[in-house]
Amino acid sequence: MRTRAHHTNDGADRRMNELLERARGRAWPGPDQSPRVEEFLRGITMHARPKFTLTRSAILLVGIGAVAGGSLAAAVTHTIMNRRAVLITDDGTRYDLELVESGEGASGTFVAEDGTVFSVNTAEGDGQQQVTVDVNAPNGGTSTVILDDGSAPSVRTEPGQDAQIRIIKPTGE
Amino acid sequence: MTQAVWTIQAASEPGSGGLAPCPDSALAARAAGDPEQFGVLYRRHFGAVAGYLYRRTGDAALAEDLAADTFLAAWEALPRYRDSGAPFRAWLLRIATNRANLAARRERLRRRVVGLLGRASAPERDADTGELYEALGRLRADHQTVIALVHLEGLSVEQTAQVLGVAGGTVKSRLHRAREALRGELARTGGRP
């Protein structure tokens, strides 16, 4: 009698374990982002208290010639804007980076009214693309580079501190 | 799309160069009130949390909704987050578990109400695993949780204890009782979802 009960339990256990194993093998079929959370983050980013404020009119582009030219914009698109490299500061202001070609990549320096310097360099070769953003903010703050795969390397600096964000991506070549 | 490899180097901060990538604990410590830092954590973990909730509930739409709730609750709770040495994901799974338990209670209540009205219905699930989720849904919340974490998520007893904030022995005994209860529910329905 006891043996039969034991066998029954074995069978029930086996069936339960099979069902659990099947459920365990189910991979998440949905997206890796939530529109609701994305919308929430956009909202709070816009309302985050600014630690320092930059305005578009305060931005100077130095040492890079005819920045607004159409042909230049096209070159930049190939090098970096295809990856949606966008710089945003902690007051929510968003800057599209416009760079000039230099050697194997492109570069540019943004100087803000408060003296914050963003130096951007891109380089391509050996099957990878590298984007480097050097930041020096006299008043400190947070800078983030957003990429089209959703990653968003970010760096917070104290007043006067130097920092660097470097992104390396295989080009698949 | 290939995953970006990135590093953050704070040149004037000794010994901080070459963090690749920034560990969860460091991000979490400064993410309270900082949507950009929190955004990195969210992008890093959303898929895993949604996957856990999917395997826990068997319902993709519900799982996505609960995962969004989890991250909105995590944003609110971040100022109280303390690095205890457990992975940050364990902290997220605890919030996700609370959300799943709340949803399960609401679902039981809904079924009771619509059952009284003669219109009880179950969410759409794969025929393959529907029977399991029906049986799981009739278990106590703490039994559903321990089975989901150990058997569906594949966590060890120690990792499960970290998520639940209980001792390993508690996890073992709770798992034993939960398995008995689940086996009983499956036997009771005899293959009928």
Side-chain angles (χ1 to χ4, degrees):
Chain A
M1 193 67 185
R2 173 173 286 187
T3 305
R4 183 180 297 171
H6 183 67
H7 283 164
T8 304
N9 265 353
D10 275 354
D13 257 343
R14 200 177 308 118
R15 181 156 153 269
M16 177 173 69
N17 289 336
E18 279 171 9
L19 287 170
L20 288 169
E21 196 59 38
R22 254 181 261 165
R24 181 175 170 172
R26 290 160 61 118
W28 168 235
D32 278 344
Q33 291 186 356
S34 156
R36 192 147 59 93
V37 179
E38 296 286 332
E39 182 63 34
F40 172 77
L41 286 176
R42 270 194 296 275
I44 56 174
T45 298
M46 295 308 288
H47 289 95
R49 188 170 61 84
K51 294 186 176 62
F52 66 97
T53 303
L54 301 175
T55 62
R56 281 186 184 281
S57 60
I59 293 295
L60 301 173
L61 298 166
V62 294
I64 56 173
V67 167
S71 59
L72 173 61
V76 170
T77 297
H78 172 71
T79 310
I80 182 168
M81 301 303 270
N82 268 354
R83 297 178 187 278
R84 277 180 54 222
V86 173
L87 185 71
I88 60 174
T89 56
D90 60 0
D91 64 348
T93 311
R94 189 179 171 102
Y95 300 99
D96 291 344
L97 304 180
E98 296 183 328
L99 310 175
V100 288
E101 287 185 291
S102 63
E104 293 179 334
S107 64
T109 301
F110 292 14
V111 183
E113 193 177 45
D114 68 348
T116 300
V117 180
F118 301 103
S119 298
V120 183
N121 285 280
T122 70
E124 200 160 357
D126 295 326
Q128 64 179 30
Q129 185 176 55
Q130 180 169 314
V131 179
T132 307
V133 182
D134 288 286
V135 183
N136 178 273
N139 299 325
T142 302
S143 302
T144 303
V145 177
I146 301 176
L147 302 176
D148 64 355
D149 63 358
S151 59
S154 175
V155 64
R156 182 197 289 274
T157 53
E158 297 301 323
Q161 188 181 37
D162 293 318
Q164 183 181 78
I165 298 175
R166 188 170 62 214
I167 301 129
I168 302 169
K169 286 178 119 177
T171 56
E173 291 168 7
Chain B
M1 173 62 62
T2 51
Q3 182 66 41
V5 178
W6 54 269
T7 62
I8 296 175
Q9 295 180 327
S12 59
E13 196 175 295
S16 64
L19 301 176
C22 190
D24 285 346
S25 54
L27 275 173
R30 55 179 192 253
D34 186 331
E36 286 147 23
Q37 303 282 343
F38 180 74
V40 175
L41 288 168
Y42 148 70
R43 289 180 187 93
R44 200 177 276 181
H45 294 288
F46 183 83
V49 170
Y52 160 64
L53 288 163
Y54 175 55
R55 286 181 287 277
R56 161 88 194 248
T57 64
D59 182 332
L62 176 62
E64 188 173 352
D65 206 32
L66 292 176
D69 284 350
T70 297
F71 280 91
L72 298 183
W75 167 260
E76 294 294 327
L78 256 181
R80 299 188 298 279
Y81 171 78
R82 297 289 175 271
D83 183 8
S84 63
F88 180 72
R89 188 171 289 180
W91 186 73
L92 287 174
L93 289 182
R94 186 188 297 195
I95 298 174
T97 294
N98 290 339
R99 295 279 150 179
N101 288 343
L102 186 62
R105 277 199 295 275
R106 284 186 186 143
E107 174 62 14
R108 272 197 296 273
L109 183 63
R110 186 192 70 83
R111 287 202 194 192
R112 208 171 295 155
V113 171
V114 296
L116 287 173
L117 298 173
R119 290 178 299 169
S121 63
E124 272 190 34
R125 289 182 175 127
D126 291 349
D128 210 22
T129 48
E131 176 192 1
L132 173 70
Y133 286 110
E134 286 299 315
L136 269 177
R138 287 190 290 271
L139 301 188
R140 286 167 30 179
D142 59 341
H143 285 176
Q144 289 184 41
T145 295
V146 74
I147 283 179
L149 290 171
V150 174
H151 287 304
L152 304 184
E153 204 56 19
L155 300 190
S156 66
V157 167
E158 186 187 341
Q159 289 167 327
T160 303
Q162 285 178 330
V163 172
L164 299 178
V166 299
T170 305
V171 172
K172 284 180 188 170
S173 58
R174 196 177 290 176
L175 182 63
H176 178 72
R177 287 194 298 272
R179 282 181 58 88
E180 278 187 345
L182 178 61
R183 191 173 50 214
E185 284 296 338
L186 288 169
R188 198 166 65 81
T189 55
R192 281 175 284 107

